[in-house]
Amino acid sequence: MLRRELLKTGAFCVAFSLASKNRQAFAKSATPADAGNAAFSPNAFIQVLPDGQVRLTIPNVEMGQGIYTSEAAILAEEMDLGLDQVIVDHAPASPERYTMPLQATQLTGGSTSIRGSWDVLRSAGATARLMLINAAASRWSVRPDSCEAKRGVITHIESGRSLDYAMLVDDAQRQSVPDVVPLKDHRRFTIIGKPWQRTDTRDKVLGATRFGIDAQPPGHKCAAVIINPVWHARPRLQNAPLPAGAHEIVALDDCLAVIADDFWTASEVARTLSVEWDYGRCTPFDTAQLRKAMNHAASNAEALTARHDASWSGRTPAESAEYEFPALAHAALEPMNATVACRKDELEIWIGTQAPGRVLDAAHRLTGFPKERIQVHNHYLGGGFGRRVETDQVEQAIRIAMKVDYPVKVIWSRATDIRRDLPRPPFLDRISAALDDDGFPIEWTDHITGCSIFTRFAPQFMREDGVDPDTVDGADNLPYSIPSVHVRWTPFDMPDERPIGWWRGVGPTHNLFRVECFLDELADHAGIDPYLYRARLLQHSPRLLKVLHLAAEKADWHRPLDQGFGRGIAVGKAYESYVCAVVEVDATSTSEIRLTRCVCAVDCGVVINPNTIVAQIEGGLIFGWTAALWGELTYAAGAVEQSNFHDYRLMRMNEVPSIAVHLVESDEHPSGVGELGTAIASPALANAVFNATGFRCRRLPLVPAIAEHVQSNSGGLKQRLDNLVSSFTRQGGEP
Amino acid sequence: MRSTFTLNINDERRTVTAPPRMPMLWVLRDLLALTGTKYGCGIAQCGACTVHLDGKALRSCVLPVGDVGDGHITTIEAVGRTDNGEKVQRAWMEIEVAQCGYCQPGQIMAAVALLNERPAPADFEIDAAMSGNLCRCGTYPRIREAIKLAATGKTDAMRTLVIGPSADSEVKEP
Ligand code: FES
Ligand code: FES
């Protein structure tokens, strides 16, 4: 039997669905198939095992965000268990049973895990606890409310009699499922809110964690892939003798795979092989053409309306700007890889994926094997960032494995990982505002041009009006009090229609940047401090106002800075959370911009684990600054030009500023933190650069843009012309 | 073109047959199944593959097996047996540096090598020693703190609580 038996017999099990508030307890002989009626299909399970362990089986994937520990904490809290008494188990790939509430399939992404599971997990845990208490009370013939539970032991307070949960497994199954269960008061939390060490930490430090790339099933061989960086190119097959060291060369219609005993030998052979390509279906575009095409679409193609306030009348704007964003790579440190064994009538896959359900679907589609005959062993992910929700690489590995009779591990070289990435798409956004007498916006007009990811990835999430909700996230739901807003989106396709993908921070990464930088421009235009300017527009957003004030206070906002230093602020709501960042830069050197300090205030509802939340914010900020400073995929002849970390720069230790993260105490529903830092990092940085240099950067990444600016201002021809023109104008002439 | 090498890895003698040019990274991972050492870039740009050769940090992706001779190779699997290795790993857990964890074996190997040279490194020395190790998850602030904690036993950073029977009933604030 391929599938691990999900439920151990002899356990008291509460099955629940992360998609609804239904709960159901079922008997020890229950199997997942008969566990629920047709209307209720549970996708998560709490099992109280006879040995006293409590096992939580959930469909989320651990990517270093600490989700297992957080979910264990929620369950332990409501069940009155110790955190050490809970084991969190990853649910095997089975989209039918493990569909996430906020996603269409079994997938971890979009900062939805805690948002989706908080309520249901708490109420499921409370249900299990109440049923166990009811079981104990009825055994002792006492009232349930005369009993209390602690660390998995129920005690009748008066008599001091006690029973372990484990001893009540059978009795609890006979209890009816209560309709209403009280949840614990936040003030009584003893586990939630503490900086627990994640359960995966120890192995990660000892080097014992197994990532997808570490899978070594018996008899496996390694494959290096030769695939053209130009999309749709096909290798021409030639019958050359097998090079020394190679075990086999597998040809697919879009790539070749060199298979050897080890990955290095496979790569060496692949490197020396000369392959001819058929470029018949390719579109050899370059970056300049891509930008031109976007510009053309923005000016000429049809725009869909995402928001149109009735009061918006199209007044002449006082300020307008165009912001441009490049394509970005994920560059997770673990290159894309998958190991696949294709046997006569079954398939086994070893992979680290954010979307086991999608992997299973793809495997089923490619092989035709029934899903019961496909096993996905999910491993730890060496970085997800949205890249590992895709199945392009594993599909290639499956197609290779279908042609050989041993398990094959397919690893993409770093160059292939970057050049065949499904990147964060480029955007070209035009924004303008009409202002009142004090310089505050009364009409706000925003026009986004860029690719839709949902159209390909999950079309069911497209809005009824045809708008991709992600492309306008952060733009059509502005937190500022602006009387009239008009937001439009023009869909755009990459010139060769190559797929583009999710990237940490998704839509808000470009929308928050533009909104927050443009707001800074307006504040400057009005001659008002950018922090106070925002505060005035946020009077109706109390949670945002709170993080704004908190960050400004902790950053000592009004403290003067030396010449050449600058401070910038950005605030925003994303993934249901509220964040404000203040960034300080040192721009005294002409050759670089140094970040010196960042203060960040976050309101993400109830703080489940401050340790992991702060880590996510720190990491998210660095991810955002990396992109803002250097991130850009450029194209030549249809191919990405970057190939490794020397030309796709990541922030390094010596470039990281001091970061202070302040969490707001809150009783609100917990919300996403994994992408929050990324989205707020870049506008705060760009605003600080403006503050330091007077240069408003409207095209990312910053470093090349600043270099260009410095060059043109260092006594170059352009500046001399500018000076001439302005002195001429000052003297009253027509330029 | 293949030769046989007897290597000293983690204080054990291991014999492998490989082309002399084959980088130690792949000897460790694919021939010896020591998968703690990671592949990130293959061109000495990321540090994920960092190991020690006689206590010094080296990028194993560009270290040919033929150049190792009888030098002592130490990998993440065994670095905890050394004093500094143990200290660094403990600090790494205490303030929870790792996120996805993929770069961490390399970070830890680089940090231990730094402490081998400079028992109490200043900030600029930490920056210099660690700037060759990339972390896509952005764990740098904690790496810096953990190195200081390992060196001095002191930190202002948030310490984690270890899950265990005694930990959560009476929680003491860290
Ligand atoms: S893999 Fe060796 S430095 Fe990146
Ligand atoms: S922890 Fe993920 S790359 Fe460093």
Side-chain angles (χ1 to χ4, degrees):
Chain A
M1 166 131 182
L2 260 178
R3 276 254 172 76
R4 186 157 42 103
E5 188 63 64
L6 181 65
L7 298 174
K8 307 281 178 297
T9 50
F12 164 53
C13 179
V14 172
F16 58 105
S17 169
L18 289 180
S20 73
K21 294 207 169 144
N22 284 340
R23 285 155 286 126
Q24 183 167 11
F26 54 88
K28 62 179 174 184
S29 59
T31 64
D34 61 28
N37 51 43
F40 169 58
S41 61
N43 63 9
F45 304 88
I46 300 165
Q47 296 170 79
V48 182
L49 304 170
D51 65 2
Q53 281 287 356
V54 174
R55 184 179 292 268
L56 171 65
T57 306
I58 41 167
N60 300 129
V61 174
E62 177 65 67
M63 295 186 278
Q65 80 281 42
I67 193 75
Y68 287 180
T69 314
S70 295
E71 290 181 320
I74 298 170
L75 182 69
E77 190 72 78
E78 288 296 344
M79 275 190 82
D80 283 326
L81 289 160
L83 203 42
D84 58 309
Q85 294 171 298
V86 178
I87 304 171
V88 182
D89 223 0
H90 177 251
S94 167
E96 292 74 29
R97 214 178 307 129
Y98 296 106
T99 295
M100 297 300 297
L102 301 179
Q103 300 280 1
T105 182
Q106 185 189 343
L107 179 151
T108 302
S111 296
T112 53
S113 297
I114 286 292
R115 279 197 274 160
S117 58
W118 168 250
D119 288 331
V120 269
L121 190 50
R122 286 183 75 196
S123 93
T127 302
R129 173 184 169 276
L130 191 58
M131 289 174 75
L132 288 157
I133 288 189
N134 287 347
S138 78
R139 215 193 263 191
W140 296 325
S141 306
V142 300
R143 287 163 43 110
D145 60 8
S146 67
C147 303
E148 64 172 19
K150 200 173 182 184
R151 283 195 60 82
V153 179
I154 299 169
T155 309
H156 179 234
I157 302 168
E158 244 164 68
S159 65
R161 279 177 292 183
S162 68
L163 279 171
D164 283 3
Y165 285 178
M167 297 173 195
L168 292 160
V169 162
D170 286 327
D171 292 28
Q173 282 156 21
R174 288 190 290 273
Q175 297 293 319
S176 58
V177 183
D179 288 334
V180 196
V181 282
L183 299 181
K184 216 184 231 183
D185 186 322
H186 291 190
R187 281 176 298 262
R188 287 183 46 234
F189 285 166
T190 58
I191 297 175
I192 288 172
K194 301 261 167 4
W196 297 109
Q197 192 175 96
R198 299 197 319 261
T199 46
D200 51 320
T201 288
R202 195 180 163 76
D203 276 358
K204 284 179 176 171
V205 167
L206 299 178
T209 300
R210 293 246 154 195
F211 296 87
I213 202 168
D214 300 327
Q216 297 187 326
H220 82 284
K221 296 190 186 300
C222 297
V225 171
I226 308 175
I227 185 162
N228 202 297
V230 180
W231 237 265
H232 315 301
R234 289 157 173 270
R236 285 214 185 88
L237 296 185
Q238 60 258 76
N239 280 324
L242 196 64
H247 186 79
E248 188 168 355
I249 294 179
V250 171
L252 301 177
D253 57 3
D254 58 346
C255 69
L256 299 176
V258 178
I259 303 181
D261 286 337
D262 63 85
F263 181 66
W264 180 75
T265 304
S267 307
E268 284 295 290
V269 173
R271 206 163 54 82
T272 51
L273 225 55
S274 71
V275 181
E276 274 186 42
W277 296 89
D278 171 3
Y279 290 103
R281 298 154 194 246
C282 304
T283 311
F285 68 96
D286 61 25
T287 304
Q289 286 163 328
L290 173 64
R291 292 178 64 198
K292 219 167 129 197
M294 291 196 75
N295 212 329
H296 183 80
S299 303
N300 301 296
E302 194 207 340
L304 302 166
T305 301
R307 171 171 168 188
H308 190 167
D309 295 354
S311 57
W312 186 87
S313 62
R315 291 172 204 243
T316 316
E319 283 283 288
S320 59
E322 183 174 281
Y323 282 83
E324 208 181 327
F325 303 85
L328 295 170
H330 296 83
L333 213 57
E334 177 191 13
M336 295 299 283
N337 65 85
T339 305
V340 182
C342 184
R343 309 200 183 89
K344 201 165 107 295
D345 59 353
E346 63 178 33
L347 195 76
E348 245 182 299
I349 301 171
W350 295 262
I351 190 173
T353 175
Q354 290 173 259
R358 287 182 87 96
V359 172
L360 185 64
D361 285 346
H364 168 67
R365 181 163 36 80
L366 289 171
T367 60
F369 294 161
K371 288 187 182 172
E372 305 77 60
R373 308 300 300 169
I374 300 169
Q375 192 174 16
V376 181
H377 303 276
N378 206 5
H379 288 58
Y380 279 98
L381 283 68
F385 315 124
R387 180 64 180 96
R388 287 189 157 93
V389 301
E390 303 288 355
T391 55
D392 55 318
Q393 197 272 339
V394 63
E395 287 185 35
Q396 182 191 68
I398 293 168
R399 289 186 292 139
I400 294 167
M402 286 166 73
K403 300 212 165 190
V404 300
D405 53 9
Y406 40 82
V408 61
K409 168 149 67 178
V410 182
I411 302 176
W412 277 6
S413 68
R414 176 56 59 192
T416 300
D417 184 271
I418 289 182
R419 291 183 165 151
R420 297 292 301 201
D421 198 356
L422 311 189
R424 198 290 301 268
F427 285 94
L428 178 65
D429 303 334
R430 293 172 178 170
I431 191 163
S432 61
L435 306 173
D436 66 15
D437 291 345
D438 298 332
F440 287 90
I442 40 175
E443 279 203 353
W444 181 270
T445 311
D446 201 354
H447 178 202
I448 296 150
T449 299
C451 310
S452 160
I453 308 171
F454 271 129
T455 322
R456 167 184 67 86
F457 191 83
Q460 67 273 28
F461 283 106
M462 294 295 281
R463 285 175 15 181
E464 253 166 43
D465 56 12
V467 172
D468 178 326
D470 177 62
T471 57
V472 296
D473 189 4
D476 69 340
N477 44 355
L478 287 176
Y480 296 108
S481 302
I482 298 171
S484 306
V485 176
H486 187 203
V487 179
R488 293 177 307 148
W489 168 57
T490 297
F492 177 78
D493 265 333
M494 293 293 279
D496 55 1
E497 296 184 349
R498 72 178 61 195
I500 44 86
W502 302 113
W503 188 87
R504 188 178 193 174
V506 292
T509 54
H510 69 105
N511 289 329
L512 264 184
F513 184 87
R514 175 186 68 262
V515 168
E516 284 304 296
C517 289
F518 188 59
L519 216 70
D520 232 59
E521 297 195 43
L522 298 185
D524 185 54
H525 181 87
I528 301 174
D529 176 284
Y531 153 53
L532 300 173
Y533 188 86
R534 284 177 173 79
R536 161 130 172 227
L537 288 172
L538 288 174
Q539 291 309 319
H540 301 291
S541 308
R543 291 178 77 183
L544 270 182
L545 203 56
K546 195 165 181 181
V547 290
L548 180 80
H549 288 321
L550 180 61
E553 180 208 315
K554 298 283 183 189
D556 214 351
W557 175 262
H558 294 293
R559 179 176 47 86
L561 293 171
D562 289 345
Q563 177 73 25
F565 289 77
R567 189 184 285 132
I569 193 166
V571 63
K573 177 184 175 198
Y575 332 104
E576 307 298 325
S577 292
Y578 303 80
V579 64
C580 179
V582 174
V583 165
E584 290 179 9
V585 297
D586 168 354
T588 50
S589 141
T590 50
S591 58
E592 60 168 2
I593 294 284
R594 281 195 66 80
L595 282 95
T596 52
R597 180 172 178 236
C598 174
V599 175
C600 192
V602 176
D603 171 359
C604 57
V606 172
V607 170
I608 296 178
N609 184 335
N611 168 47
T612 49
I613 292 173
V614 171
Q616 284 298 304
I617 299 295
E618 290 168 347
L621 286 166
I622 292 171
F623 203 92
W625 291 324
T626 297
L629 289 167
W630 307 289
E632 179 172 31
L633 290 173
T634 57
Y635 299 88
V640 165
E641 293 183 291
Q642 288 68 29
S643 65
N644 210 318
F645 298 123
H646 65 286
D647 54 10
Y648 197 82
R649 284 270 275 113
L650 304 187
M651 189 170 256
R652 293 175 181 275
M653 173 71 101
N654 54 322
E655 294 157 336
V656 173
S658 78
I659 301 173
V661 180
H662 301 275
L663 304 180
V664 170
E665 254 185 65
S666 166
D667 277 350
E668 302 283 341
H669 194 290
S671 44
V673 293
E675 304 174 287
L676 202 57
T678 304
I680 209 69
S682 48
L685 169 59
N687 289 341
V689 169
F690 173 75
N691 184 244
T693 66
F695 172 56
R696 176 61 65 187
C697 186
R698 298 193 188 87
R699 182 183 168 203
L700 290 179
L702 289 164
V703 167
I706 292 167
E708 209 174 282
H709 172 76
V710 166
Q711 224 167 30
S712 66
N713 278 293
S714 58
L717 184 64
K718 186 182 169 299
Q719 176 167 15
R720 267 181 279 146
L721 277 174
D722 283 349
N723 288 346
L724 264 178
V725 169
S726 62
S727 67
F728 181 66
T729 331
R730 268 201 306 276
Q731 287 156 18
E734 287 284 325
Chain B
M1 65 182 248
R2 288 183 170 249
S3 323
T4 298
F5 300 95
T6 301
L7 303 166
N8 192 326
I9 295 171
N10 297 336
D11 289 328
E12 277 176 49
R13 291 172 76 78
R14 305 290 297 262
T15 303
V16 295
T17 305
R21 282 198 313 117
M22 186 170 181
M24 272 311 291
L25 171 63
W26 300 106
V27 171
L28 292 167
R29 290 184 55 83
D30 283 0
L31 304 189
L32 297 170
L34 286 167
T35 53
T37 306
K38 299 299 188 218
Y39 165 58
C41 69
I43 56 166
Q45 285 287 321
C46 76
C49 64
T50 307
V51 298
H52 291 178
L53 179 62
D54 296 325
K56 295 225 171 10
L58 279 181
R59 308 284 181 247
S60 68
C61 67
V62 291
L63 173 64
V65 59
D67 290 0
V68 172
D70 46 17
H72 284 55
I73 297 270
T74 309
T75 70
I76 186 70
E77 283 88 352
V79 76
R81 291 181 216 149
T82 66
D83 267 5
N84 279 336
E86 197 270 338
K87 258 197 262 174
V88 165
Q89 284 180 325
R90 191 148 34 85
W92 241 250
M93 289 185 221
E94 248 175 80
I95 63 167
E96 195 157 83
V97 173
Q99 288 186 30
C100 87
Y102 193 79
C103 73
Q104 298 299 336
Q107 306 281 5
I108 289 169
M109 296 309 287
V112 175
L114 167 64
L115 292 189
N116 288 348
E117 295 254 303
R118 312 279 308 169
D123 274 16
F124 75 91
E125 289 171 311
I126 296 179
D127 278 0
M130 301 303 294
S131 65
N133 285 72
L134 292 176
C135 174
R136 186 55 159 153
C137 299
T139 63
Y140 302 116
R142 292 188 183 200
I143 292 173
R144 195 180 284 153
E145 264 321 296
I147 291 175
K148 290 188 202 168
L149 172 60
T152 64
K154 289 197 279 282
T155 182
D156 297 330
M158 189 190 301
R159 289 191 199 234
T160 56
L161 297 169
V162 182
I163 297 169
S166 59
D168 44 297
S169 36
E170 303 309 320
V171 177
K172 286 180 212 68
E173 286 305 325

